[in-house]
Each structure stands twice: as structure tokens, then as C-alpha cells.
Amino acid sequence: YWLQESSIPPSTATSMMTNYVLYLMLFGVAYSICPWQYNSDVNPGKPEFIHHDYYVQMSPKTRNNTYILQVSASDPDVNDTMLYSLELFAEHEYVTINETTGILSSDKEFSDLQIYWLNIIVIVRDRPSLNDFYCRTDKANVKIELIGVEESTSTLSNSTN
């Protein structure tokens, strides 16, 4: 027996499909016993953000569950559902993302933050699990500038007694 790539492509084949036939030699006669297709890439398209950099200004007094912005991606694969998530970052408890819509919103008031910027990385994936071998991803940067943040009023004093 031997395996050979088929020279006759089936009508449903795409450029990612490879056709094989398993042959068996019996008394000098070759019999094709098992034709099949191998799909070398079941997920050829990759999701891609429309923009890879987003910038928004917010007040530190932004309340819980306030809309921040919506990120958007596209995928050339017809049946893929894109899912959004946030890469873990220091202030992750302040921002959340809707997994299906890509809408970022505040998860708690920003007023107790002592920083001027939130730098967030959003991930879009085309499979439910990042551990899926065929999962493809893209990343976008979201920069939130907190405007009107007051500098700390505490000062160090040097006292001598």
C-alpha cells in the first residue's frame, strides 16, 4: 500500500484542501481504497481590529457602568463569532468589556485612581477559548486619559524638634 496526493480535486476543495488516496497493491493491480481530504487550515481568516489604537478622555468622576467606547473588528471567515476580552492590567477592576459587542465601560468610579492614564489592551479572538489550536487573535491599544485629576496634596515635610 502507499499514499499519494490525488491529481483530481473535488468540486468543494479550496486552496487549503489537499486530496489524498490510499492505494493497495494486490497481485500487481493497484486499488484505490480510501480517498480523503486534508484541510490544512480550518480557520484561514484572522480577526482584525478596524483601528489598532483608540484614545478617549474621561473624567475621574466617571460613575460605575459608564460607556467608554466601542472597539470593532472584522473577520473574513463567514461563520466565525468574534469575542472581545481585556488583557490583565494593573487597574483591571476599573474597566470591563462586553464580550460580544466590544463595548468598554467603567466598572467602578475612577476618582480614587492616582494616575493620569489607563493603558488597556483589548484582544479579539475567533474561537471561544484562547487554548483552541485554531484560535486566531488580534490586539488593540486603548488609552484613557483621566482629565482633571488633581495632583496629590500630601507633601513631605522636614521637621526638626
Side-chain angles (χ1 to χ4, degrees):
Y1 60 92
W2 72 93
L3 182 64
Q4 180 176 321
E5 191 171 337
S6 174
S7 60
I8 304 170
S11 60
T12 59
T14 67
S15 61
M16 297 297 204
M17 301 291 276
T18 307
N19 306 297
Y20 294 97
V21 177
L22 182 62
Y23 289 94
L24 175 66
M25 179 70 77
L26 191 60
F27 303 112
V29 179
Y31 297 94
S32 65
I33 58 171
C34 186
W36 79 87
Q37 291 181 337
Y38 172 70
N39 188 348
S40 59
D41 191 349
V42 297
N43 188 15
K46 176 182 184 237
E48 191 165 328
F49 278 102
I50 309 253
H51 303 285
H52 284 91
D53 293 297
Y54 295 84
Y55 171 79
V56 65
Q57 291 181 324
M58 303 289 294
S59 166
K61 295 180 179 155
T62 297
R63 296 189 184 273
N64 184 18
N65 210 21
T66 299
Y67 172 90
I68 297 173
L69 65 87
Q70 182 173 12
V71 295
S72 184
S74 63
D75 190 329
D77 295 335
V78 178
N79 294 324
D80 279 353
T81 300
M82 290 177 293
L83 301 168
Y84 300 91
S85 60
L86 300 177
E87 206 169 74
L88 193 60
F89 61 103
E91 297 80 23
H92 68 275
E93 71 269 11
Y94 289 90
V95 178
T96 189
I97 191 165
N98 182 297
E99 184 179 51
T100 57
T101 65
I103 293 176
L104 280 92
S105 56
S106 60
D107 215 17
K108 88 192 253 196
E109 194 172 306
F110 296 154
S111 60
D112 58 338
L113 285 170
Q114 298 299 315
I115 57 174
Y116 298 98
W117 300 93
L118 286 170
N119 293 305
I120 301 165
I121 297 175
V122 180
I123 301 169
V124 63
R125 64 187 189 279
D126 60 3
R127 294 286 191 267
S129 171
L130 283 170
N131 296 327
D132 184 327
F133 179 73
Y134 296 107
C135 183
R136 302 246 176 140
T137 63
D138 193 20
K139 293 183 179 184
N141 300 307
V142 176
K143 190 172 206 173
I144 301 172
E145 179 183 11
L146 299 178
I147 53 173
V149 175
E150 301 297 326
E151 288 191 32
S152 175
T153 56
S154 63
T155 57
L156 292 175
S157 60
N158 188 3
S159 61
T160 56
N161 290 349

